[in-house]
Amino acid sequence: MLSRRNFLTAAVGVAAAGGLAACAKEDSGSSSSSSGGSKTITLGFSQVGAESGWRSANTTSVKDAAKEAGYTLKFSDAQQKQENQISAIRSYIAQKVDVIAFSPVVVTGWDAVLKEAKAAKIPVVLTDRSVETSDDSLFVTLVGSDFTDEGRRAAKMLATVVEKAGLKGAVKIAQLEGTTGAAPAIERAKGFKEVMDADHADDWKIVVSQTGDFTRAGGKQVMAAFLQSNPDINVLFAHNDDMAIGAIQSIEAAGKKPGTDILIVSIDGVKDGFVAMSEGKINGIVECNPLLGPQLMDVVKKVHDGETVERWIKTEEGDFLQDQAKAELPNRKY
């Protein structure tokens, strides 16, 4: 698996092969050519889906940035199905796009289609999420966040939240995991547990953990089950804001007060998460910036032009606590 701390540089000039029609929703949007009469870059982009506010903001950022750059964007929504993404990538190969970019639904299972891309000499750029491959030359670079570090920061933030709340005794944590097999779910859980085991082995315990698939509906349903099986939960760690917001509904339905009876830390930083913070229902959020579009378009141009790029291009992030919410809310971009 690609190490998110690996800043090795890699020469550009990767590729791909063969093609089938995409099963996912495909939007072939055409943008005007850039000045100077040069050939317009055609970018094939396969998105995970529209499972959360973060993902919707990310999609808007990619589309807007492609238009601003003057690229022809062929966009596909995989609806959270790997088979749809693979079909979309094969469709882009058949259409002979200049560059392929995608946010992988899960970590594994990409070698075959990426080898096809390499054989067709179409460079591949990963966005947001990493993959595990037998050959790292199957893709050029990853533009995204350090999910393991986000998990660490969430654990450190929870320590601050627990102290501020004056919580005494055992910290009984419910964890709402992201999509099973997805890089952010794997790595956020890993980073959180790393800090928990090192600094809070005696007083913190994850008593229940299950995927909510990064959706509000999933967060609501799973949290309701958590509260039935473990009514003494006093902390929730959610891998994204949307699951936390769904969980809040179940917490309130159970007659408990989110942010007080059950302390909540989540990851993302979408506007609805900040609204919940301003209402005292979420105690802290670790930001994962979805506005990857401009960075992605810069990378796509460099890749297309044969320039060398970093192996991993990291986004800017921040941390926010409940008492910052009101000040930060009016300034949110997404």
Side-chain angles (χ1 to χ4, degrees):
M1 182 174 180
L2 170 67
S3 169
R4 288 179 172 271
R5 293 196 175 279
N6 185 356
F7 285 83
L8 296 177
T9 59
V12 176
V14 190
L20 299 172
C23 296
K25 293 182 181 177
E26 189 166 329
D27 172 17
S28 183
S30 184
S31 304
S32 60
S33 160
S34 52
S35 61
S38 59
K39 178 182 177 292
T40 301
I41 295 172
T42 299
L43 170 65
F45 181 79
S46 177
Q47 181 61 282
V48 171
E51 77 283 359
S52 64
W54 191 100
R55 191 63 54 190
S56 297
N58 179 243
T59 292
T60 298
S61 177
V62 169
K63 288 183 174 181
D64 288 350
K67 184 177 181 180
E68 178 69 22
Y71 300 167
T72 297
L73 177 67
K74 295 182 179 294
F75 181 90
S76 178
D77 178 348
Q79 300 173 317
Q80 292 186 278
K81 295 180 180 178
Q82 184 179 30
E83 59 267 31
N84 288 349
Q85 282 199 307
I86 291 172
S87 293
I89 292 168
R90 285 180 170 146
S91 174
Y92 297 148
I93 294 167
Q95 294 174 65
K96 300 180 180 179
V97 301
D98 296 305
V99 180
I100 293 171
F102 74 108
S103 299
V105 175
V106 293
V107 170
T108 59
W110 301 103
D111 273 29
V113 73
L114 292 180
K115 286 176 181 177
E116 293 169 18
K118 185 173 183 178
K121 295 183 168 54
I122 301 175
V124 175
V125 175
L126 304 179
T127 70
D128 177 38
R129 301 177 175 187
S130 62
V131 298
E132 290 181 359
T133 65
S134 60
D135 178 1
D136 278 353
S137 74
L138 295 177
F139 64 92
V140 180
T141 187
L142 163 66
V143 180
S145 302
D146 188 333
F147 297 135
T148 303
D149 192 54
E150 287 174 354
R152 294 187 193 106
R153 286 159 49 206
K156 292 174 182 177
M157 177 180 284
L158 178 58
T160 300
V161 167
V162 166
E163 182 179 1
K164 288 181 69 171
L167 180 63
K168 305 297 182 184
V171 175
K172 300 178 181 179
I173 303 168
Q175 179 174 227
L176 278 169
E177 304 168 25
T179 303
T180 301
I186 295 167
E187 295 171 21
R188 286 170 181 168
K190 175 185 173 183
F192 186 90
K193 193 171 187 305
E194 178 184 305
V195 172
M196 185 183 79
D197 290 348
D199 300 339
H200 306 282
D202 295 335
D203 56 337
W204 289 18
K205 183 179 180 181
I206 296 175
V207 296
V208 63
S209 184
Q210 187 176 321
T211 179
D213 211 24
F214 282 130
T215 67
R216 293 192 190 190
K220 181 180 180 181
Q221 180 180 356
V222 175
M223 191 65 194
F226 284 173
L227 291 168
Q228 286 287 328
S229 62
N230 295 273
D232 57 347
I233 292 166
N234 52 21
V235 166
L236 170 65
F237 169 43
H239 285 191
N240 80 341
D241 291 345
D242 279 80
M243 290 190 295
I245 292 164
I248 284 168
Q249 297 176 46
S250 291
I251 292 168
E252 291 176 330
K256 294 178 181 289
K257 190 172 180 181
T260 302
D261 297 328
I262 297 179
L263 305 177
I264 300 176
V265 168
S266 64
I267 299 174
D268 269 358
V270 299
K271 185 174 180 180
D272 286 353
F274 273 79
V275 170
M277 282 183 69
S278 72
E279 296 170 345
K281 296 178 180 181
I282 292 179
N283 303 86
I285 296 174
V286 173
E287 182 180 26
C288 179
N289 197 319
L291 306 181
L292 304 179
Q295 284 178 292
L296 175 60
M297 298 313 146
D298 288 345
V299 170
V300 166
K301 186 176 189 309
K302 289 178 180 178
V303 168
H304 178 263
D305 293 347
E307 297 180 27
T308 298
V309 296
E310 290 179 342
R311 185 66 174 165
W312 173 38
I313 299 167
K314 189 177 177 182
T315 60
E316 295 294 327
E317 298 177 313
D319 295 338
F320 304 93
L321 291 167
Q322 198 177 82
D323 53 9
Q324 295 173 291
K326 287 185 172 62
E328 294 289 344
L329 183 60
N331 301 317
R332 300 310 290 166
K333 298 177 183 176
Y334 48 90

